[in-house]
Amino acid sequence: MSRIAQRFAELKAQHRTALIPFVTAGDPGPATTVPLMHALVQAGADIIELGVPFSDPMADGPVIQRATERALAQGVRLADVLELVRTFREQDTATPVVLMGYLNPIERMGYTAFAERAQAADVDGALIVDVPPEEGHELVTTLKTHGLDLVYLLAPTSTDDRIRRIGSVASGFVYYVSVKGVTGAGHLDTADVAAHLARIRAAVDLPVGVGFGIKDAATAARVAEVADAVIVGSALVERIEALAATPEHIPDSIGSFLASLRTAIDGARVAAL
Amino acid sequence: MAINAEMRQADSLADNQPYDLPDATGHFGPYGGLFVPETLMHPLEELRLAYEQCQADPNFQAEMDADLRDYVGRPSPLYHAERWSRELGGAQIYLKREDLNHTGAHKVNNTIGQALLAKRMGKTRIIAETGAGQHGVASATVAARLGLECVVYMGEVDVARQEANVYRMRLLGARVVPVTSGSRTLKDALNEAMRDWVTNIDDTFYIIGTVAGPHPYPMMVRDFQTVIGREARAQMLERTGHLPDALVACVGGGSNAIGLFYPFIGDSDVAIYGVEAGGEGIATGHHAAPLCAGRPGVLHGNRTYLMEDDNGQIIETHSISAGLDYPGVGPEHAWLKDSGRAQYVSITDDEALAAFHHLTRTEGIIPALESSHALAYAHKLAPTLRPDQTLLVNLSGRGDKDMHTVARHDGLVL
């Protein structure tokens, strides 16, 4: 069983919803990332999603675009992100880490080289935003051969056929994009999310995380009632941006914000029982 | 009257070519495809189906042909540049006059088609990206005519250097949104338009201006632009009794080029040359010539040749012509390059400027700086051919928009 599957199994046994923070690797500088990852775990993160900077992040809103630009300006590339994960693993071998990014840096490194290096760094999975299953056969095969989970997005526009197809290639979990839009978009409608999740669960035998539009403890708690995992990205990255000039404060400050989400999520699940 | 319809028919009779790309999933060999976030997958499928329906619908084709004739002014003339040809002492050069189209370039052939499609799909809002502003103007133009809301994304850098076109778009009722992310040029405008589309997918149609982007855009934009090559092929046959010996067109994303090339792909005696922007010279790295000096990768929804660094990050490009200043290229060009059917070459800023001045003085035609790249290559190629041979150059746009750039280069301020 993969580390991600195991983590979800444990949470399920405890009737808890997973909390998955997203941060961009190397934002605002590479020295911040590993201490921040540890702080996230301390604050209750179950899985960490680490953004791999790319020059043209077409699925991301302004907050994560700017994070990407800060990281790229510091020279943080895919190889550096793998090195950051390896460093994180020196102290934490329990928390699953999923890389989230775009295909081109992986193409340039080569699928096999990437899979080998990710495996060596003890990465658990990857979510490549611009690779639908139609284009991903070789990538999926290569990554799975190296023990990596391939997380896929599902969207409000996904048809039942697409949901089934994605369910058949995804592993670890699937990530439901709760709104039509880019990362950091607003207007999360919990009832609508719940209806879509029912449709997804009927076709996909994997945990379902929900992200995009989770801004605070209240939205996190609402989503926790229906999802297997709450994914929060832009709300964290926005706070990181505000502290970019004093990066030494980032791990503590982001950690306490995440802890408030953890409390809200756990409270919601208890209330729902 | 139905000249385009006739040509279409004549063309399908003329070529028994095996070339039939893209395949059902949008691939040209290893290139093209659909590399987009999940939210866009189903909308792109809907777009493909709607487009196929329109293609099969004689009413849509009739409406399109009427618009191209009465609104755009097609067919565009084929002009024999006799004085220039004589001076070079080689092949006879013919210019396909896309510069005489309404709005001043080939771009409108595509926006007419996509806007009609948008209307059929019941979309009320159109968005577009633009570099030099020609596609933005062509989109704003058709939006005004059809009464559709129009938003044009344009890099902040381009907004500053293409002020006149920005004003034209605003006059036409479009909202021009300056894009401040990344390198603040065309590629970033495309990213921003994609983000808008993902967010407003229900009522919005994204008119991509070139043969790039995810399937079906490279195919659809090509189809709308092949009116150039269909007309030119018939015009050459009528005028000279022969097909041309060679075709020349500039390639940024490559829509004017594929529009000219496509109906000739099966004519193996016709040499095909695509001309990329060599900027300050390929060796300097300051250029926009991915086919000449890049390598395959994935950007903006398709696999194609790209300008990228060793880490797969897209790098900034340079060209004197904003319309060629793009780090990717249409996937069909990538395939035509690899298959050897077309050759891709580059022309520097200085060579393009020289050709700009030369055509202006020799033939009394002021070409766009983009098209000047094709002219500059024709200038090199013609003398290597015999006077009884012919060269067909796509004069894709007129140079009015480039007055400030050229004047600045000559040390003047207008």
Side-chain angles (χ1 to χ4, degrees), chain B residues 60-305:
Chain B
F60 182 88
Q61 295 301 339
E63 198 175 349
M64 177 93 199
D65 289 344
D67 276 1
L68 289 175
R69 183 189 64 223
D70 302 334
Y71 191 66
V72 176
R74 303 205 72 92
S76 68
L78 181 74
Y79 171 72
H80 183 192
E82 281 184 82
R83 191 162 173 243
W84 189 32
S85 305
R86 208 163 41 238
E87 187 193 317
L88 293 174
Q92 301 306 308
I93 302 174
Y94 287 83
L95 303 178
K96 180 61 173 164
R97 298 292 307 275
E98 293 299 301
D99 61 315
L100 294 177
N101 291 341
H102 179 43
T103 72
H106 71 290
K107 292 291 188 186
V108 71
N109 301 328
N110 168 48
T111 59
I112 290 268
Q114 289 199 50
L116 287 178
L117 184 55
K119 210 174 73 172
R120 293 235 168 171
M121 292 177 76
K123 306 291 183 182
T124 55
R125 177 175 180 268
I126 65 174
I127 58 171
E129 84 294 336
T130 198
Q134 289 305 106
H135 175 59
V137 167
S139 298
T141 298
V142 295
R145 176 159 173 266
L146 296 177
L148 299 168
E149 183 190 347
C150 179
V151 177
V152 179
Y153 291 94
M154 190 169 185
E156 201 177 43
V157 170
D158 294 330
V159 168
R161 63 179 170 181
Q162 301 288 339
E163 236 177 312
N165 268 344
V166 172
Y167 186 58
R168 285 169 82 192
M169 288 183 262
R170 287 181 175 146
L171 284 175
L172 289 159
R175 188 158 68 85
V176 180
V177 180
V179 175
T180 57
S181 58
S183 61
R184 296 174 290 141
T185 57
L186 178 56
K187 78 173 177 72
D188 310 285
L190 223 146
N191 291 333
E192 208 54 41
M194 284 277 183
R195 291 174 187 130
D196 179 315
W197 199 36
V198 153
T199 308
N200 300 295
I201 206 98
D202 294 330
D203 67 347
T204 297
F205 189 102
Y206 178 17
I207 301 189
I208 293 185
T210 192
V211 284
H215 183 60
Y217 282 100
M219 171 182 78
M220 181 168 72
V221 177
R222 174 197 72 195
D223 292 349
F224 289 139
Q225 291 293 1
T226 52
V227 66
I228 301 171
R230 288 197 309 270
E231 284 178 4
R233 196 173 187 281
Q235 288 166 324
M236 284 298 292
L237 286 172
E238 189 197 330
R239 191 81 64 85
T240 69
H242 301 282
L243 292 177
D245 292 284
L247 311 175
V248 183
C250 65
V251 178
S255 70
N256 90 82
I258 209 76
L260 178 67
F261 298 168
Y262 186 72
F264 294 92
I265 287 176
D267 302 313
S268 53
D269 292 341
V270 179
I272 298 180
Y273 298 93
V275 186
E276 293 195 301
E280 293 165 9
I282 298 291
T284 66
H286 297 147
H287 58 82
L291 290 168
C292 293
R295 48 174 288 166
V298 171
L299 178 70
H300 293 151
N302 68 98
R303 182 178 278 118
T304 187
Y305 280 81

Side-chain angles (χ1 to χ4, degrees), chain A residues 33-58:
Chain A
T33 303
V34 173
L36 173 58
M37 289 169 79
H38 290 309
L40 294 171
V41 173
Q42 200 74 46
D46 297 300
I47 295 171
I48 293 177
E49 262 187 18
L50 206 51
V52 179
F54 179 51
S55 53
D56 291 79
M58 72 173 177

Side-chain angles (χ1 to χ4, degrees), chain B residues 325-343:
Chain B
D325 210 349
Y326 179 66
V329 62
E332 193 161 14
H333 287 293
W335 172 244
L336 290 174
K337 172 192 159 77
D338 282 13
S339 68
R341 179 61 190 97
Q343 292 182 59

